[in-house]
Amino acid sequence: MSVKAEIARRRTFGIVSHPDAGKTTLTEKLLLFGGAIQEAGAVKSNKIKKGATSDFMEIERQRGISVATSVLAFEYKGTKINILDTPGHKDFAEDTFRTLTAVDSVIVVIDVAKGVEEQTEKLVEVCRMRNIPIIVFVNKLDREGKDAFELLDEIEQKLKLSVTPLSFPIGMGYDFKGIYNIWEKNINLFSGDSRKNIEETIEISDLQDTVLDELIGAKAANTLREELELVQGVYPDFDKEAYLAGKQQPVFFGSALNSFGVRELLDCFVAIAPTPRPKQSEERLVHPNEKDFSGFVFKIHANMDPKHRDRLAFIKIVSGVFERNTPYLHVRHNKKLKFSSPNAFFAERKQIVDISYPGDIVGLHDTGNFKIGDTLTSGEEIHYKGIPSFSPEHFRYINNADPMKTKQLNKGIDQLMDEGVAQLFTLELNGRKVIGTVGALQYEVIQYRLEHEYGAKCTYEPLNVYKACWVEPEDPKGEEFKEFLRVKQRFMAKDKRNQLVFLADSAFSLQMTQQKYPSVKMHFVSEFDVA
Ligand code: G4P
């Protein structure tokens, strides 16, 4: 197969949701349909235990296993599908944000009863910022939930999306009869039998056909006709170009647990989802079908075995082909590196591969060369941008608890930050180090890993910070900025890339500061200079 054909058959995407909406179940069902796994439960058992707060074994297990489940690749109807795992636990949200830089599209899972939840809002916001094409899957239709129209409204309002349903539920919960597939113009009847993977699909090209009344009863048939008329009146027709541009989002309904509506989702997905997209670098837009290889690191995983300090760097291939044992330029270090055992990932195993194509993810063994965001190329100096850090939610001072191990502590902090475990801020005033995380669980992970992998001990001290704001003065030499720096000296820090950050201690003080120094722009994302 030509390289062009290999690229054209690839679909690389992520599934995002609020914990418990059914992401893991859906992933598993997609793998089942793709024939990549034989039984349900294979992905499930890899999940982090819910609410784990201090179970270090669990953290270790999660870290190790998520290496295996970081990418799940399988073949379906001639397409090669790469699902990038996005951790469900909210404390690992930063990891999910980064993974979103490597996907070409996403599927958002929403629980029909709970509707749009907090985590979904945040994740979809990131997708919207990047115009990532989104398909919405409303899950758990076998349970009582919100009315379909109400839910579509909520999705539009809260997620600021423009939806168009491509399937529509017939009843719900106890009364759930099936789904009318607007995309394929047929009906799937729900049997309620979760072991049944093959659904009964009946073509209904004309909704007025009395077959419909026979299938689901006259009352349900009339309701469906009315509802579909309303759908047609209210929502625009599906427009593939608008979907690909991130301007319209098709919605499917189903029940992942019952494998219901999943095949329809997958069939539509392979038909409409984007092939690997071009990516903007600092220098230029890079197209997948260019001859020369380029890719970027979006995730780094430490080895589960602390005795082997090597890590796995995950590279998304943007252009050209990646070949084993070929020297590539590590742009930041300006040196050539060769990889003898690049890993590709399949549903239940990883495997050394000789060649990978745009859209694919390869895992490279790394002894500390890579940092998140690093670019690897055939030789051209390209810098991929767009792996931003968001303001953390928690902040604590980190102290050295064993002065004999200062070097180890610094090295450990340095490497963990390169992996993207948390963010480090160094206060301008006194050089004290502050660790910012998305979830409190990360502090335990850091403490544990510093001790077990680097032989260093740390303690934490509370620090009252509301938000980290990346500062951009309109006039860096102006009086207003100088005064801002002087007055706010106590709150100023540098992040790991040496960018200036204002650590606001409350929403109120942030607002006052913004009013008082309007020429000093505050950004809540570190990469405000990229679109
Ligand atoms: P997540 O990865 O998004 O966190 O969600 P996950 O798939 O783990 O699903 C969360 C819970 O919702 C699970 O139940 C799962 O079985 C259930 N679920 C998923 N899809 C459906 C569906 O279509 N209908 C119904 N009724 N339930 C669904 P659990 O009790 O937390 O776990 P388990 O004991 O079933 O493993």
Side-chain angles (χ1 to χ4, degrees):
M1 202 181 290
S2 71
V3 173
K4 214 168 150 194
E6 286 287 1
I7 298 172
R9 73 185 197 96
R10 275 166 169 72
R11 309 279 183 279
T12 302
F13 77 108
I15 305 182
V16 300
S17 75
H18 192 86
D20 268 354
K23 181 171 72 74
T24 315
T25 314
L26 179 65
T27 307
E28 189 169 279
K29 293 302 158 86
L30 292 174
L31 294 176
L32 274 169
F33 276 112
I37 53 169
Q38 304 311 322
E39 57 182 311
V43 181
K44 189 99 220 158
S45 59
N46 292 342
K47 259 186 86 165
I48 190 165
K49 205 168 86 192
K50 287 176 192 136
T53 47
S54 58
D55 187 341
F56 292 120
M57 283 312 289
E58 198 57 44
I59 294 168
E60 285 293 280
R61 203 176 66 83
Q62 160 73 9
R63 277 181 40 219
I65 286 163
S66 48
V67 169
T69 56
S70 283
V71 191
L72 300 158
F74 66 97
E75 301 262 340
Y76 182 74
K77 294 191 173 168
T79 51
K80 162 123 192 262
I81 296 181
N82 295 313
I83 307 183
L84 304 198
D85 187 42
T86 54
H89 198 290
K90 77 167 175 25
D91 286 9
F92 295 94
E94 189 80 13
D95 221 19
T96 302
F97 292 138
R98 276 192 294 266
T99 300
L100 290 179
T101 62
V103 302
D104 295 307
S105 73
V106 302
I107 293 181
V108 175
V109 184
I110 289 173
D111 182 322
V112 70
K114 295 195 180 133
V116 173
E117 296 172 88
E118 187 196 339
Q119 192 76 358
T120 319
E121 277 186 61
K122 281 197 193 161
L123 294 167
V124 169
E125 195 185 328
V126 177
C127 298
R128 258 200 350 259
M129 266 166 55
R130 293 161 179 270
N131 297 322
I132 298 176
I134 298 174
I135 296 179
V136 179
F137 182 73
V138 178
N139 190 26
K140 307 196 186 179
L141 263 287
D142 57 317
R143 284 201 188 153
E144 290 302 325
K146 299 187 180 185
D147 167 73
F149 286 107
E150 192 189 318
L151 202 59
L152 290 169
D153 256 3
E154 187 178 324
I155 294 170
E156 291 213 314
Q157 302 290 328
K158 285 201 182 160
L159 299 181
K160 302 189 185 76
L161 299 179
S162 309
V163 300
T164 182
L166 285 187
S167 79
F168 208 81
I170 308 168
M172 185 191 292
Y174 181 72
D175 224 13
F176 183 52
K177 293 196 167 54
I179 279 166
Y180 179 74
N181 191 329
I182 300 172
W183 170 252
E184 291 176 0
K185 293 207 171 24
N186 57 28
I187 271 194
N188 285 325
L189 293 180
F190 181 60
S191 68
D193 184 349
S194 65
R195 286 159 304 179
K196 217 171 101 175
N197 279 333
I198 315 283
E199 304 149 21
E200 199 180 343
T201 306
I202 299 147
E203 300 296 321
I204 304 262
S205 46
D206 177 8
L207 278 169
Q208 302 310 324
D209 198 328
T210 50
V211 173
L212 189 62
D213 303 65
E214 286 160 30
L215 285 173
I216 58 175
K219 195 168 159 229
N222 281 331
T223 312
L224 178 66
R225 288 184 187 113
E226 279 166 27
E227 285 179 334
L228 289 175
E229 210 169 295
L230 200 57
V231 166
Q232 262 217 317
V234 175
Y235 297 101
D237 285 344
F238 173 65
D239 174 350
K240 189 170 164 189
E241 290 311 310
Y243 155 71
L244 290 176
K247 307 245 178 299
Q248 189 192 69
Q249 292 77 22
V251 180
F252 281 86
F253 291 83
S255 165
L257 189 63
N258 292 288
S259 303
F260 196 79
V262 177
R263 185 197 55 76
E264 291 74 11
L265 173 73
L266 186 56
D267 280 344
C268 178
F269 173 81
V270 294
I272 67 170
T275 56
R277 306 206 295 172
K279 192 167 170 71
Q280 190 65 47
S281 71
E282 274 178 32
E283 293 78 10
R284 63 187 185 85
L285 188 67
V286 181
H287 287 274
N289 45 15
E290 289 181 19
K291 201 172 114 291
D292 289 336
F293 159 76
S294 71
F296 67 97
V297 179
F298 67 95
K299 180 172 182 145
I300 293 177
H301 247 293
N303 196 317
M304 203 177 37
D305 180 354
K307 286 187 207 80
H308 299 98
R309 191 79 68 67
D310 68 331
R311 316 184 285 183
L312 209 53
F314 290 81
I315 308 244
K316 159 93 183 275
I317 299 173
V318 179
S319 66
V321 294
F322 179 92
E323 286 175 288
R324 189 153 85 101
N325 283 326
T326 305
Y328 291 118
L329 177 69
H330 184 307
V331 176
R332 185 172 53 89
H333 285 166
N334 192 23
K335 73 175 180 200
K336 293 253 177 171
L337 298 174
K338 223 158 63 175
F339 303 91
S340 58
S341 52
N343 283 291
F345 304 86
F346 299 93
E348 282 173 317
R349 66 207 148 84
K350 56 182 204 243
Q351 180 183 310
I352 291 175
V353 280
D354 291 326
I355 186 161
S356 305
Y357 300 90
D360 284 342
I361 310 296
V362 285
L364 304 178
H365 287 286
D366 171 42
T367 46
N369 280 318
F370 286 118
K371 213 152 103 150
I372 292 203
D374 277 349
T375 310
L376 212 56
T377 71
S378 294
E380 187 178 345
E381 287 213 10
I382 295 176
H383 298 83
Y384 283 114
K385 296 191 87 173
I387 305 208
S389 298
F390 291 79
S391 172
E393 316 244 319
H394 303 263
F395 297 83
R396 290 184 197 169
Y397 284 119
I398 182 163
N399 298 323
N400 187 358
D402 182 352
M404 303 295 286
K405 298 281 169 63
T406 308
K407 233 170 93 184
Q408 286 85 337
L409 183 78
N410 287 340
K411 182 170 177 203
I413 294 178
D414 213 44
Q415 291 208 347
L416 292 183
M417 298 306 130
D418 282 353
E419 266 179 47
V421 174
Q423 292 180 60
L424 178 72
F425 301 97
T426 309
L427 288 184
E428 291 274 86
L429 194 62
N430 52 20
R432 285 194 76 179
K433 290 188 161 101
V434 173
I435 302 274
T437 67
V438 178
L441 182 55
Q442 297 295 46
Y443 289 105
E444 293 179 55
V445 176
I446 293 167
Q447 200 170 36
Y448 179 83
R449 289 190 57 190
L450 283 174
E451 192 169 339
H452 288 82
E453 292 171 32
Y454 299 91
K457 283 200 169 75
C458 76
T459 55
Y460 298 111
E461 221 178 288
L463 171 70
N464 181 29
V465 176
Y466 161 70
K467 247 189 176 72
C469 317
W470 281 266
V471 171
E472 184 192 23
E474 265 168 30
D475 179 6
K477 294 204 167 69
E479 281 312 309
E480 189 168 304
F481 186 53
K482 278 192 195 145
E483 189 194 313
F484 164 80
L485 287 180
R486 191 172 45 76
V487 175
K488 298 292 173 191
Q489 195 181 28
R490 225 156 48 82
F491 303 97
M492 301 313 297
K494 287 267 174 71
D495 72 0
K496 249 203 112 198
R497 294 164 56 197
N498 237 357
Q499 296 190 106
L500 194 62
V501 179
F502 169 57
L503 300 175
D505 57 353
S506 70
F508 178 72
S509 91
L510 174 59
Q511 200 188 353
M512 294 310 287
T513 309
Q514 281 173 309
Q515 272 173 18
K516 195 155 176 218
Y517 307 101
S519 74
V520 181
K521 281 216 195 85
M522 302 282 175
H523 301 274
F524 306 115
V525 180
S526 67
E527 284 206 12
F528 47 84
D529 47 344
V530 280

